[in-house]
Amino acid sequence: MAIHILFRGPQDRNDCWRAMFADALPNLVWQHWPKVTDKAAIELMIAWKLPRDYQQDYPNLKVIFSVGAGVDQLDLATVPEHIQVVRMLDPGIAKGMSEFIALHVLNIHRGTFQYIKANSTATWEQLPTLANSQRRIGILGLGNLGQAAANTLHNLGFSINGWSRIAKQLDGVRCFSGMEQLEDFLSQTDVLVSLLPLTKQTQGLLDTSTLSLLPKGASVINVGRGEQLVSEDLLTLLDEEHLSFAILDVFDTEPLPDSNRLWQHPNVLVTPHIAAITQNETAGKALVDNVHRYLTHQPLIGLVDRSLGY
Ligand code: GLV
């Protein structure tokens, strides 16, 4: 019997991925939500958010492939145990994320935000520069995206520290791990980049107690999830000039409400969750490869460990 796959997402992406699947795996039956002709036949689903009542509507569902790198939006606790959940490991996301992080590390490093302010008062003032090797970039989260960013920043000559839940060894990265080494890591970080997944352990991790461990003058880039950062604590540390700048791409409420103080703060740059966008071509290829693995009973790439939440 043919395997049915259901895609829930926009038409242009549907058209691209349907064509890629038709080409690579012609025996598969592709369906585009909400026009589902045979619900009981659906075995695989590709989605960012899950349709309501999917557990009842698709009783033969075996695997959910997230369209994004994160899976917190799927509310894992409600996904039945027999359904496997897979993260999107798209080289296009990794490239976009590395570019965004490198762009803003360089903006911080080269004083772009100070020069934008100086422009508004026609002030000609040359700021002191620091060698790249003297700027310590601390990457929280050393998965696929953290490693790609570390590599890009290392190639730009920065000094790279990395922190992960479990110990890792990576070329060009001074690795720290576990809560017991978090303080050591933070106290040696001039630009903190958070790329952590959202889990019970990472929720609210970046608050006064952790952010104040960063050296005076440090900056923060959050591209993980908004819930990891207590923004009121961040704002206080910026106001006290303990921290210099924050570039925030993710928020606990998105879109960020107009009234949120982050919009107004002169040393905060808000971007609307655009650091890394799933790229149709590269992500489509990753999906085709993974579905092929499923069909040939090989382990799936990016399979989520329910106990860890990512
Ligand atoms: C976006 O945040 C993603 O998870 O890909």
Side-chain angles (χ1 to χ4, degrees):
M1 245 212 0
I3 305 270
H4 288 233
I5 186 162
L6 177 62
F7 172 63
R8 184 174 196 240
Q11 190 67 45
D12 61 328
R13 182 165 280 168
N14 177 74
D15 297 346
C16 175
W17 288 354
R18 180 201 285 269
M20 289 176 84
F21 271 89
D23 207 31
L25 301 170
N27 294 330
L28 209 111
V29 179
W30 182 273
Q31 304 204 45
H32 188 197
W33 190 91
K35 287 188 217 128
V36 191
T37 47
D38 186 359
K39 289 187 175 173
I42 300 295
E43 189 163 333
L44 310 174
M45 176 151 51
I46 304 172
W48 170 246
K49 287 203 172 160
L50 298 169
R52 206 153 50 94
D53 300 330
Y54 71 94
Q55 296 101 324
Q56 291 81 44
D57 286 350
Y58 310 109
N60 289 315
L61 187 61
K62 304 276 190 316
V63 189
I64 296 168
F65 295 93
S66 169
V67 166
V71 290
D72 48 286
Q73 78 287 355
L74 299 174
D75 197 1
L76 284 183
T78 64
V79 179
E81 280 296 326
H82 69 274
I83 299 179
Q84 303 187 78
V85 178
V86 180
R87 286 176 286 128
M88 170 62 78
L89 293 176
D90 166 22
I93 295 183
K95 179 171 177 290
M97 190 58 97
S98 297
E99 282 170 2
F100 184 92
I101 292 167
L103 170 72
H104 290 297
V105 164
L106 286 167
N107 277 331
I108 291 163
H109 180 62
R110 298 299 300 265
T112 304
F113 301 116
Q114 288 95 325
Y115 289 123
I116 289 172
K117 277 185 204 154
N119 273 228
S120 65
T121 52
T123 304
W124 180 281
E125 187 195 354
Q126 296 178 334
L127 298 172
T129 54
L130 193 68
N132 294 19
S133 59
Q134 301 291 304
R135 187 85 67 185
R136 300 161 301 176
I137 316 299
I139 301 180
L140 270 177
L142 293 174
N144 170 251
L145 300 180
Q147 290 183 30
N151 199 28
T152 302
L153 294 167
H154 177 69
N155 289 338
L156 287 168
F158 291 105
S159 169
I160 315 295
N161 295 327
W163 181 90
S164 51
R165 193 183 51 82
I166 45 164
K168 296 205 170 162
Q169 279 197 328
L170 301 170
D171 283 348
V173 183
R174 200 164 152 232
C175 291
F176 297 78
S177 61
M179 293 313 280
E180 62 285 1
Q181 288 183 9
L182 187 62
E183 177 169 349
D184 215 12
F185 164 81
L186 291 170
S187 66
Q188 300 177 63
T189 288
D190 301 313
V191 181
L192 179 69
V193 180
S194 178
L195 270 162
L196 292 168
L198 181 62
T199 65
K200 281 199 193 76
Q201 287 72 33
T202 65
Q203 178 129 20
L205 179 70
L206 300 175
D207 62 3
T208 305
S209 70
T210 47
L211 291 174
S212 57
L213 295 170
L214 294 166
K216 185 170 166 56
S219 294
V220 174
I221 299 175
N222 189 17
V223 281
R225 285 290 184 255
E227 293 87 335
Q228 287 157 13
L229 178 75
V230 181
S231 55
E232 281 305 317
D233 291 4
L234 173 82
L235 286 165
T236 304
L237 289 164
L238 287 166
D239 288 340
E240 289 170 351
E241 296 183 4
H242 181 74
L243 296 179
S244 295
F245 294 99
I247 292 99
L248 309 177
D249 187 56
V250 286
F251 305 90
D252 41 17
T253 305
E254 295 183 6
L256 183 65
D258 312 357
S259 57
N260 194 296
R261 277 219 296 144
L262 291 168
W263 284 114
Q264 273 82 45
H265 200 284
N267 292 358
V268 175
L269 175 67
V270 169
T271 55
H273 204 142
I274 43 70
I277 306 290
T278 301
Q279 300 297 310
N280 285 352
E281 288 295 328
T282 45
K285 185 171 177 325
L287 283 166
V288 165
D289 289 349
N290 236 355
V291 170
H292 178 256
R293 295 177 78 86
Y294 175 80
L295 299 175
T296 52
H297 309 289
Q298 297 175 67
L300 300 177
I301 312 274
L303 189 63
V304 169
D305 179 334
R306 297 294 190 93
S307 63
L308 298 176
Y310 63 92

